[in-house]
Amino acid sequence: MTKGSANRLVAMPGATVSMRESELMVGGGDRLIEMPVPTYVIEHPKGLVLFDSGCNPSVATDPQGYWGHIADYLHVRFTPELVVDAQLRQHGYRPEDIRYVVVSHLHLDHAGGLALFPNARFFIMRGELNYAYWPEKRHRAAFKINDLMPTRRFDWIELEGDTDLFDDGSLLMMKTPGHTPGESSLLVRVRDHQPIVLTGDTLHLRGQFNHLAPSETDFDRVAASASVARLKDLRDRGEARVWVMHDPEDWATYPHVIE
Ligand SMILES: [Zn+2]
């Protein structure tokens, strides 16, 4: 492995959704937490990389029509300006220039914009696509088949485990299963900054680090807790910072441009 780095990481806002702390973290309280749903674009010498794709454009105009009852349950707030392609343009990028899309998992608040990038190459952990097409009944509302159907002929690469995407140490896709079967996180190294891990939904709240608490909605809570422990170890050893994507404090704290 040669040492390389990305040139820039930009966090882009998306929808917000709300759930009770107790649903997001075993042992949590009753308060409703309004969570950001960001996406990220990374400038790498090999091309532009998108991490996650937010909610489907239809959710901005007809949330109940596209998502059904879960739209009300999640109190989703979304506008056309917050759709991932509009955000890319707003940040000075052309959506058609996205060469790679890294997919943390296929829940409806992460996979809704995949179809907007028909010419990109998609990286995902093995197991996630199969599960998303035919999830267990208890998880079915969190996956939208219409997010996935237009992408069936896309260039999907299914990975077996941790993968150094460009073989230069700049982007490490980490297998952190539990929230879903193929959940992953992305470690990003930008120039000489300390690496930062974008968590997907490996955990939803910083507070989960305290007791390695999984989330009520996790597919496999034992695996989820082990994945939280893995990211906590990285953080505690000082090897990386961890950006918990849905945590409102992390959204407020981390710089939205690292370069
Ligand atoms: Zn999720």
Side-chain angles (χ1 to χ4, degrees):
M1 188 189 80
T2 52
K3 265 274 188 255
S5 64
N7 294 322
R8 195 167 195 245
L9 168 69
V10 180
M12 303 182 290
T16 60
V17 295
S18 300
M19 287 174 81
R20 302 213 174 273
E21 188 185 49
S22 56
E23 296 171 298
L24 297 167
M25 172 170 87
V26 170
D30 233 13
R31 71 192 174 105
L32 203 59
I33 298 184
E34 186 173 26
M35 297 179 283
V37 182
T39 57
Y40 300 82
V41 61
I42 299 144
E43 292 183 21
H44 186 277
K46 291 207 168 150
L48 284 180
V49 182
L50 181 72
F51 182 59
D52 278 352
S53 66
C55 304
N56 191 277
S58 297
V59 178
T61 50
D62 183 15
Q64 287 83 5
Y66 192 77
W67 271 7
H69 69 91
I70 202 170
D72 295 319
Y73 177 74
L74 292 174
H75 312 277
V76 63
R77 293 164 63 167
F78 198 37
T79 60
E81 303 77 58
L82 291 170
V83 175
V84 64
D85 58 347
Q87 276 299 309
L88 282 166
R89 283 190 209 98
Q90 201 170 311
H91 286 85
Y93 301 102
R94 300 191 317 162
E96 56 270 35
D97 288 342
I98 296 290
R99 293 266 303 270
Y100 307 94
V101 180
V102 176
V103 183
S104 71
H105 68 305
L106 291 168
H107 276 166
L108 77 183
D109 54 333
H110 296 258
L114 298 177
L116 298 168
F117 305 95
N119 300 316
R121 167 166 288 186
F122 291 73
F123 294 109
I124 194 163
M125 287 294 162
R126 189 174 295 287
E128 186 70 10
L129 278 168
N130 299 33
Y131 189 72
Y133 274 102
W134 204 260
E136 289 173 34
K137 200 169 180 185
R138 66 189 168 118
H139 293 133
R140 209 160 288 164
F143 296 96
K144 289 294 156 208
I145 193 88
N146 289 340
D147 290 342
L148 308 175
M149 290 306 282
T151 75
R152 288 193 80 161
R153 289 177 188 279
F154 286 11
D155 180 15
W156 285 97
I157 308 288
E158 295 183 87
L159 304 173
E160 304 296 337
D162 287 7
T163 303
D164 183 352
L165 290 178
F166 298 129
D167 211 22
D168 66 354
S170 64
L171 288 173
L172 176 67
M173 197 167 161
M174 302 169 64
K175 186 174 179 179
T176 49
H179 178 62
T180 60
E183 171 78 30
S184 65
S185 306
L186 183 66
L187 181 143
V188 185
R189 193 184 300 274
V190 182
R191 301 186 190 277
D192 49 6
H193 294 280
Q194 189 185 20
I196 190 158
V197 175
L198 311 174
T199 59
D201 282 2
T202 304
L203 66 166
H204 294 76
L205 299 173
R206 249 192 237 178
Q208 289 176 258
F209 279 137
N210 300 332
H211 304 287
L212 305 182
S215 160
E216 287 289 345
T217 58
D218 288 338
F219 168 77
D220 176 338
R221 292 194 198 174
V222 174
S225 186
S227 291
V228 173
R230 184 181 179 199
L231 297 188
K232 180 173 187 287
D233 283 348
L234 264 187
R235 185 195 69 170
D236 292 351
R237 288 198 305 265
E239 290 175 22
R241 296 172 286 172
V242 177
W243 187 330
V244 181
M245 281 168 57
H246 284 315
D247 189 306
E249 280 180 66
D250 280 15
W251 180 252
T253 309
Y254 281 115
H256 291 185
V257 179
I258 299 175
E259 58 191 354

